């Protein structure tokens, strides 16, 4: 059994040149399976909104929903570091609001929190309260309306904005930064310019680690995404198996003697 992963362990992996494997999971089953696979970090992402709850984006996701899903995930995680996303509106208004909501997520089972954008004061205050913070830059989904859609960020002259933001939150004390949908060369530049690890999603191979959504890895999401690799088509297996079950019920082929008492 591998040792329990902590935020300082994740930070140290960059120095050692060990790549960091991370997965977004939302409930007991997906957390348990991810933890068993040996991933280093499990994120209760606010993508729970669009992937599991049927919202169009992450914007409607509430603190109560993040608390509920964090509790479920925490029951399935034993080794990986459990990080929970701070939803839109839970950290931007003030340092006090940010610390209070981060504490609520830790009480629900999170071992660290993640927040989007350049909020160094909030990051410093949460870290001071004893809670490790992960940053998230690039195509930050909570700012989708500002970006005018889900588009690659940091192209051309805009690269410097992301580089400066990364340096700002690195200095504020994040233990890692997610880089989402940015050019691979910019991710390389950011990775070399900061001391904490970078975790890419659609940000190329030069990041210190990668994060993918459980449902995308396993072929459970409806649309294939350019930045995701489907390692299995579990969705197809589910449909075929369920069709088989329906046929057997209709044909009185299930249950059989061995399923009966
Ligand atoms: O919400 C989420 O799943 C995320 C990852 C995609 C990084 O923020």
């Amino acid at each position: 059994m591998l040792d329990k992963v902590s935020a300082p362990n994740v930070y140290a992996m960059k120095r050692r040149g060990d790549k960091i494997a991370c997965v977004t999971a939302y409930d007991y089953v997906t957390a348990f399976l991810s933890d068993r696979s040996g991933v280093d970090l499990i994120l209760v992402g606010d993508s729970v909104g669009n992937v599991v709850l049927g919202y169009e984006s992450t914007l409607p996701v509430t603190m109560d929903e993040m608390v509920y899903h964090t509790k479920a995930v925490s029951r399935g995680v034993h080794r990986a570091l459990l990080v929970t996303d701070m939803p839109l509106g839970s950290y931007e208004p003030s340092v006090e609001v940010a610390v209070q909501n981060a504490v609520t997520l830790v009480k629900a089972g999170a071992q660290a929190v993640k927040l989007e954008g350049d909020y160094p004061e909030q990051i410093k205050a949460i870290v001071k309260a004893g809670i490790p913070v992960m940053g998230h830059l690039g195509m930050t989904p909570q700012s989708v309306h500002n970006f005018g859609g889900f588009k690659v960020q940091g192209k051309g002259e805009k690269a410097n904005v992301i580089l400066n933001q990364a340096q700002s939150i690195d200095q504020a004390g994040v233990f890692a930064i997610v880089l989402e949908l940015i050019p691979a060369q910019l991710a390389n530049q950011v990775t070399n310019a900061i001391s904490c690890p970078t975790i890419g999603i659609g940000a190329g191979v030069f990041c210190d680690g990668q994060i993918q959504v459980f449902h995308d890895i396993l072929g459970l999401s409806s649309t294939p995404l350019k930045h995701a690799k489907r390692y299995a088509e579990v969705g197809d297996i589910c449909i075929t198996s369920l069709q088989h079950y329906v046929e057997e019920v209709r044909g009185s082929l299930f249950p059989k003697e061995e399923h009966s008492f």
Side-chain angles (χ1 to χ4, degrees), residues 11 14-15 137 162-171 174-179 187-199 208:
Y11 188 87
K14 176 169 182 150
R15 292 279 154 272
L137 299 173
I162 291 176
L163 186 56
N164 292 340
Q165 289 175 335
Q167 286 171 324
S168 158
I169 63 173
D170 183 42
Q171 280 159 22
V174 293
F175 73 89
I177 302 177
V178 170
L179 296 175
N188 192 20
Q189 214 184 334
V190 171
T191 301
N192 291 328
I194 61 175
S195 50
C196 75
T198 55
I199 310 293
D208 298 302

Side-chain angles (χ1 to χ4, degrees), residues 35 59 61 69 82 96 112 124 158 177 185 205 250 261:
D35 198 56
L59 306 187
V61 176
H69 286 276
L82 197 172
E96 290 74 22
K124 281 184 213 161
K158 299 212 176 119
I177 302 177
Q185 286 310 328
V205 75
R250 290 187 178 147
F261 301 94

Side-chain angles (χ1 to χ4, degrees), residues 114-203:
K114 173 165 85 57
L115 57 87
E116 297 184 4
D118 185 13
Y119 287 91
E121 296 315 316
Q122 277 83 338
I123 290 166
K124 281 184 213 161
I126 298 170
V127 171
K128 190 164 173 224
I131 303 169
V133 182
M134 189 176 196
H136 187 163
L137 299 173
M139 175 54 239
T140 43
Q142 291 172 14
S143 303
V144 61
H145 294 315
N146 250 352
F147 297 138
F150 291 94
K151 299 173 181 165
V152 175
Q153 299 298 310
K155 286 183 176 168
E157 285 171 9
K158 299 212 176 119
N160 266 336
V161 175
I162 291 176
L163 186 56
N164 292 340
Q165 289 175 335
Q167 286 171 324
S168 158
I169 63 173
D170 183 42
Q171 280 159 22
V174 293
F175 73 89
I177 302 177
V178 170
L179 296 175
E180 180 162 356
L181 288 192
I182 65 168
Q185 286 310 328
L186 172 57
N188 192 20
Q189 214 184 334
V190 171
T191 301
N192 291 328
I194 61 175
S195 50
C196 75
T198 55
I199 310 293
I201 173 162

Side-chain angles (χ1 to χ4, degrees), residues 10-255:
V10 170
Y11 188 87
M13 286 173 80
K14 176 169 182 150
R15 292 279 154 272
R16 292 201 304 270
D18 292 342
K19 290 274 187 176
I20 306 157
C22 315
V23 164
T24 290
Y26 310 110
D27 58 19
Y28 174 78
V29 175
T30 55
F32 175 77
L33 294 172
S34 303
D35 198 56
R36 286 281 303 273
S37 76
V39 293
D40 301 302
L41 183 154
I42 294 177
L43 172 71
V44 187
D46 62 353
S47 55
V48 68
N50 38 298
V51 178
V52 167
L53 302 178
Y55 299 141
E56 298 237 316
S57 70
T58 62
L59 306 187
V61 176
T62 63
M63 272 295 293
D64 284 349
E65 285 165 335
M66 294 312 295
V67 165
Y68 178 84
H69 286 276
T70 300
K71 285 183 178 171
V73 166
S74 72
R75 293 178 203 119
V77 175
H78 301 288
R79 176 186 172 265
L81 175 67
L82 197 172
V83 183
T84 294
D85 256 340
M86 301 195 69
L88 178 71
S90 69
Y91 55 93
E92 308 90 328
S94 70
V95 160
E96 290 74 22
V97 167
V99 173
Q100 201 161 38
N101 283 319
V103 168
T104 301
L105 294 172
V106 169
K107 287 188 186 291
Q111 294 152 353
V113 296
K114 173 165 85 57
L115 57 87
E116 297 184 4
D118 185 13
Y119 287 91
E121 296 315 316
Q122 277 83 338
I123 290 166
K124 281 184 213 161
I126 298 170
V127 171
K128 190 164 173 224
I131 303 169
V133 182
M134 189 176 196
H136 187 163
L137 299 173
M139 175 54 239
T140 43
Q142 291 172 14
S143 303
V144 61
H145 294 315
N146 250 352
F147 297 138
F150 291 94
K151 299 173 181 165
V152 175
Q153 299 298 310
K155 286 183 176 168
E157 285 171 9
K158 299 212 176 119
N160 266 336
V161 175
I162 291 176
L163 186 56
N164 292 340
Q165 289 175 335
Q167 286 171 324
S168 158
I169 63 173
D170 183 42
Q171 280 159 22
V174 293
F175 73 89
I177 302 177
V178 170
L179 296 175
E180 180 162 356
L181 288 192
I182 65 168
Q185 286 310 328
L186 172 57
N188 192 20
Q189 214 184 334
V190 171
T191 301
N192 291 328
I194 61 175
S195 50
C196 75
T198 55
I199 310 293
I201 173 162
V205 75
F206 304 114
C207 295
D208 298 302
Q210 298 293 326
I211 186 159
Q212 289 284 308
V213 169
F214 183 95
H215 296 58
D216 294 339
I217 294 174
L218 292 171
L220 284 165
S221 37
S222 45
T223 19
L225 302 163
K226 178 170 164 64
H227 66 260
K229 177 172 171 187
R230 292 162 83 98
Y231 286 82
E233 290 298 339
V234 176
D236 289 348
I237 296 172
C238 291
I239 293 169
T240 314
S241 309
L242 289 163
Q243 284 170 337
H244 197 179
Y245 163 73
V246 169
E247 277 165 25
E248 291 205 347
V249 169
R250 290 187 178 147
S252 298
L253 294 166
F254 174 84

